[in-house]
Amino acid sequence: MKKILSLALAALMLVSVVPMVYAADVDYTQGTAVSYTGTGTEQYTVTVPAELAPGESGSVIVEGTWASNRVLTVTADATVTLTNSIDTQDTKTLDVIFQTFTIPGDNTTDIALGREVEVEAIENALFGTWSGKFNYNVEIKDDVPRGPIA
């Protein structure tokens, strides 16, 4: 009787050592599939100086999130025309110094980058208020070549 009991216990131990794996409605021989769908949303903010005087500079800041298969590009007008408040026929065109930048998205982190914009100094403007404005252009689009931030 001792031999039968010992043999039964040995068989029970052997059966309990063999791992049993069950997968519901899936072929478990290929492993466990793991997937996740990101919850991020595409959003960005471009902050520009509200006012600059000739010869001054300010910061253009881009912050936000967008996927790595998208790229955001910020450009500015090349010049600004200032008109004299005393004589509207009297104008001066000044250069706007701004290096265009192109920012590829990132699938894992927020983006925050800045770049300086400067307006050329004015000359020979003794009387009146000289004013004008220039614009920024922001574009986001798909399928761009990968590369470093330009």
Side-chain angles (χ1 to χ4, degrees), residues 62-83:
V62 176
E63 298 174 297
T65 56
W66 56 97
S68 64
N69 66 336
R70 310 231 332 130
V71 67
L72 186 124
T73 302
V74 181
T75 60
D77 293 342
T79 60
V80 58
T81 301
L82 303 182
T83 304

Side-chain angles (χ1 to χ4, degrees), residues 48-65:
V48 300
E51 190 172 353
L52 291 174
E56 287 185 344
S57 66
S59 295
V60 175
I61 300 169
V62 176
E63 298 174 297
T65 56

Side-chain angles (χ1 to χ4, degrees), residues 96-117:
V96 174
I97 299 111
F98 180 72
Q99 183 182 355
T100 297
F101 62 118
T102 301
I103 308 165
D106 192 306
N107 293 331
T108 59
T109 62
D110 295 351
I111 295 170
L113 293 172
R115 187 152 290 166
E116 292 296 303
V117 61

Side-chain angles (χ1 to χ4, degrees), residues 6 12 14 28-29 31 37 41 46 49 61 64 66-67 82 84 87 95 100 116 122 124 136-137 150:
S6 296
L12 185 60
L14 263 176
Y28 66 88
T29 61
T37 301
T41 57
V46 179
I61 300 169
W66 56 97
L82 303 182
N84 188 304
D87 179 2
D95 288 335
T100 297
E116 292 296 303
I122 196 168
N124 302 322
Y136 298 88
N137 302 297

